[in-house]
Amino acid sequence: MPSVYADLHIHIGSTDSGRPVKNSASKDLTLSNLLKGSRDQKGMDLVGVIDAHVPEILNQLEQDLESGKARELPGGGIRYQGITLLLGSEIEIREEGRKPFHLLSYLPTFKKMKEFSNYLSKGMKNPHLSSQRFNRSTRELQEATKELGGLFIPAHIFTPHKGILSAVNRLEEVCDPKHIDAVELGLSGDTEMADHLPELRNYPFLTNSDAHSIQKIGREYQRICLQNPDFQSLRLALKREGGNFIEANYGLNPSLGKYYRSRCSHCGERVEPYQSRCSQCGGPVAKGVFDRVLELGEKEALHPDWRPPYFPQILLEFFPGVGKKTYLRLIEAFGNEMNLLHRVPIREIKEKFGPTLAERIQLSRENRLPIEAGGGGMYGKVDKDLL
């Protein structure tokens, strides 16, 4: 059974006509560019677009299906040349007395997504934009997703910016546990951290990029063994049924995440242990994922025996000395980023690009690159002084 690389949380910046979809995303991140970049540059086989409910995106998908540019798969999902698109939607909900948080719903077919889009429009002020507030409860959204045969997954659960575990202490406070198919860890958390929380040990973990530009696609992803690259096989993989299963999670090293440690949002001072105000400037402190896990979790992380391995990694964009030109040369030489990160022998990299880059990629593969931890909305970085 073949393995595929999958990134299931990618935004669209704008439609082909130039209408904004995700305001904080690159305007160049259209559906067409997303598919091409995911396949050719990043080496993905399966992608989830979580703005598929937007009416103009649905219109484009319908045109592509009618023209033969794309086709629906019997098991769900839309097949473009060499890559499968899964139709998803990121939705913001604010339960009474709580901070808002983001949730992901994936639908199996174009028809079902169109029905879901119509459902969202009844509780959303502007369904033409991504990640909009939906004036319904989480449980109601879960029920609607399930009635349409969809998958329901809380998004980037730990992050202080719209992560559900920054708004509640337990998922069951606002969710029906039976209707959660998986949880998405987010860029500042990993399997080791998540399995400190007993509630989470029953769920499969997903690691997705939450990409707002083509460059960010694939900064987190999973390798999944699937009978077919379609919606139904993914559903089975989340249940570990029929020989379908998640083989491995590849995530950004949590230290690089911009919410990993607690930092002052004003001056950037690292605050340990966490306190709400910075002792240096008095500014508000953004509580890091590390500290939130300490609050919620048990002392020991216990992994179920079926939990796949998690491989922390550092993508090329974080490498000192790898600018846009070098990046494009690397892709031209080795095909795509997945090849370079996982398959190409280090000696070949050394022969074509010299010992410095080859050594850093080797250290990255071994998770030994020194990192200055991120927090407070600022990404971490490779510490050049320690190389």
Side-chain angles (χ1 to χ4, degrees), residues 105-320:
S105 292
Y106 297 89
L107 283 301
T109 65
F110 175 80
K111 180 182 177 182
K112 295 294 186 183
M113 177 51 80
K114 205 165 185 178
E115 291 180 42
F116 189 67
S117 177
N118 183 57
Y119 164 73
L120 291 179
S121 69
K122 297 174 182 177
M124 208 177 260
K125 287 185 178 180
N126 190 353
H128 296 277
L129 290 176
S130 173
S131 313
Q132 295 298 289
R133 181 75 55 83
F134 185 55
N135 298 315
R136 301 287 191 275
S137 71
T138 304
R139 284 184 169 86
E140 182 178 331
L141 178 65
Q142 286 183 283
E143 290 173 5
T145 301
K146 291 302 171 180
E147 285 175 4
L148 292 170
L151 298 171
F152 179 87
I153 299 167
H156 43 73
I157 56 172
F158 291 118
T159 57
H161 182 65
K162 307 297 175 67
I164 192 169
L165 287 179
S166 72
V168 302
N169 292 328
R170 291 179 60 82
L171 299 180
E172 64 182 17
E173 293 176 29
V174 292
C175 295
D176 182 343
K178 300 189 301 296
H179 291 331
I180 298 175
D181 294 288
V183 295
E184 183 184 73
L185 297 185
L187 302 174
S188 297
D190 61 10
T191 293
E192 183 66 23
M193 297 166 72
D195 271 334
H196 278 275
L197 279 65
E199 180 187 29
L200 299 182
R201 294 172 192 154
N202 296 323
Y203 300 119
F205 296 158
L206 295 180
T207 39
N208 299 313
S209 69
D210 194 0
H212 287 49
S213 67
I214 292 175
Q215 187 64 30
K216 301 296 185 184
I217 294 170
R219 60 180 170 180
E220 295 209 349
Y221 53 93
Q222 38 272 309
R223 189 176 76 242
I224 315 178
C225 186
L226 296 179
Q227 184 175 15
N228 297 296
D230 59 21
F231 182 92
Q232 181 60 20
S233 292
L234 175 64
R235 185 200 298 279
L236 292 173
L238 296 180
K239 298 178 180 180
R240 304 179 302 283
E241 293 179 354
N244 302 276
F245 62 97
I246 300 173
E247 295 180 89
N249 293 98
Y250 295 87
L252 194 68
N253 188 306
S255 296
L256 290 170
K258 59 183 179 180
Y259 299 115
Y260 179 62
R261 299 309 300 258
S262 297
R263 285 186 182 270
C264 175
S265 299
H266 181 67
C267 72
E269 183 74 15
R270 190 156 142 178
V271 180
E272 297 178 15
Y274 168 78
Q275 55 192 30
S276 60
R277 289 284 167 179
C278 175
S279 59
Q280 299 296 315
C281 73
V285 175
K287 185 184 293 182
V289 170
F290 180 88
D291 291 298
R292 185 58 170 157
V293 169
L294 290 179
E295 284 183 353
L296 299 178
E298 295 180 341
K299 185 175 182 180
E300 184 179 1
L302 299 177
H303 306 295
D305 57 10
W306 50 264
R307 180 77 71 209
Y310 181 102
F311 296 103
Q313 64 179 5
I314 300 171
L315 296 186
L316 294 175
E317 64 178 284
F318 288 96
F319 277 63

Side-chain angles (χ1 to χ4, degrees), residues 1 51 86 91 374:
M1 194 175 292
D51 306 316
L86 298 184
I91 302 125

Side-chain angles (χ1 to χ4, degrees), residues 15-77:
T15 65
D16 281 356
S17 70
R19 183 169 186 167
V21 175
K22 182 72 172 178
N23 285 324
S24 58
S26 168
K27 293 180 181 179
D28 295 331
L29 193 54
T30 62
L31 177 60
S32 301
N33 288 341
L34 182 158
L35 291 166
K36 187 175 188 301
S38 297
R39 182 192 62 213
D40 299 342
Q41 186 172 318
K42 296 294 183 172
M44 292 294 135
D45 305 293
L46 185 69
V47 292
V49 170
I50 48 80
D51 306 316
H53 68 279
V54 171
E56 194 167 333
I57 299 301
L58 286 170
N59 290 340
Q60 182 178 347
L61 289 169
E62 188 168 32
Q63 291 172 13
D64 289 347
L65 289 168
E66 290 176 350
S67 69
K69 184 178 180 181
R71 60 184 175 88
E72 283 210 85
L73 297 173

